[in-house]
Amino acid sequence: MAEILIGEDDADVRKWLAIALETEGFTVRTAADGAATLEEAKTTRPDLLILDVMMPKMSGLEVCKAIRAFDRTLPILMLTARNKDEDLIAGLGAGADDYVTKPFALNVLLARIAALLRRTDAAECRGDANLGSFRLDAQKMAIVFANGQETLLSAREYELLRLLADHRGKVLRRDDILNRIWGLTFYGNTRTLDQHIALLRRKLGTCADCIETVRNVGYRLK
């Protein structure tokens, strides 16, 4: 079973999460501050990191950025009591793959963990995708522009852009994208997807308009 590292400064929350995840069969390690979480991540290389945003010594955002400097594939799920768009964008911009807003139900957290841990051989073997003005490099998880410039993507950003690329020209519904990438059925608020699209457009730069918003439906890669 997968090994999960929990970085959480609240002792009660940390203990509850550890017991709940161990009951589900996961191996769990914990850390009580940002610096300890970063050191534990470096030495143990867990399969997934649950990271609280507000922690002493180093914030969750600082820890996330530091980890992405040496590991771009570790799934990182951030816990936050803040639910404003700018806070969510900050977490994704730091390199997090997903986030859960406190308070949360355990079954929701478990579903998000399962989705993040899901990695298929088919996805790894699809190879590069040539999209004219840029190419998706599967091995590097990067956008490679026609001039040779590379922009690295997080694992989640790569999966999302690759899904759009594999269905280019076709409108993908929001719920379908969320189900295929996050493995969850969302009702109402779809900010998780919207913020990832915003980050992808930022990284695409002059190619940003290739991702088209189809009002009240979803997205399409033109």
Side-chain angles (χ1 to χ4, degrees), residues 65-154:
K65 290 178 181 178
I67 289 175
R68 286 299 181 233
F70 66 86
D71 189 338
R72 292 192 299 111
T73 62
L74 171 64
I76 298 178
L77 174 64
M78 300 199 82
L79 304 179
T80 177
R82 301 173 176 176
N83 60 3
K84 293 183 179 179
D85 284 350
E86 53 266 33
D87 298 316
L88 306 180
I89 290 173
L92 297 175
D97 295 291
D98 203 356
Y99 55 82
V100 172
T101 304
K102 297 178 179 179
F104 53 83
L106 178 59
N107 63 332
V108 171
L109 180 67
L110 292 173
R112 298 288 183 94
I113 289 172
L116 283 175
L117 289 173
R118 191 180 299 115
R119 292 291 185 268
T120 64
D121 292 337
E124 295 175 355
C125 297
R126 281 182 295 180
D128 296 353
N130 195 329
L131 298 163
S133 55
F134 65 91
R135 173 172 56 86
L136 271 179
D137 189 306
Q139 185 174 5
K140 295 181 180 179
M141 285 200 306
I143 300 169
V144 182
F145 295 97
N147 62 3
Q149 178 186 348
E150 295 183 359
T151 299
L152 300 178
L153 302 173
S154 70

Side-chain angles (χ1 to χ4, degrees), residues 175 178 185-190:
D175 288 347
L178 287 163
T185 300
F186 276 60
Y187 296 96
N189 196 326
T190 58

Side-chain angles (χ1 to χ4, degrees), residues 6-14 16-17 50-55 77-83 88 99-105 108-109:
I6 300 171
E8 167 65 65
D9 65 316
D10 187 308
D12 291 335
V13 174
R14 190 170 64 247
W16 173 74
L17 280 174
I50 296 176
L51 186 60
D52 187 35
V53 172
M54 302 299 293
M55 287 193 294
L77 174 64
M78 300 199 82
L79 304 179
T80 177
R82 301 173 176 176
N83 60 3
L88 306 180
Y99 55 82
V100 172
T101 304
K102 297 178 179 179
F104 53 83
V108 171
L109 180 67

Side-chain angles (χ1 to χ4, degrees), residues 183-205:
L184 298 168
T185 300
F186 276 60
Y187 296 96
N189 196 326
T190 58
R191 284 187 300 168
T192 297
L193 172 57
D194 296 335
Q195 303 301 357
H196 274 82
I197 291 291
L199 287 170
L200 275 178
R201 284 173 170 155
R202 187 182 306 169
K203 290 189 174 183
L204 282 165

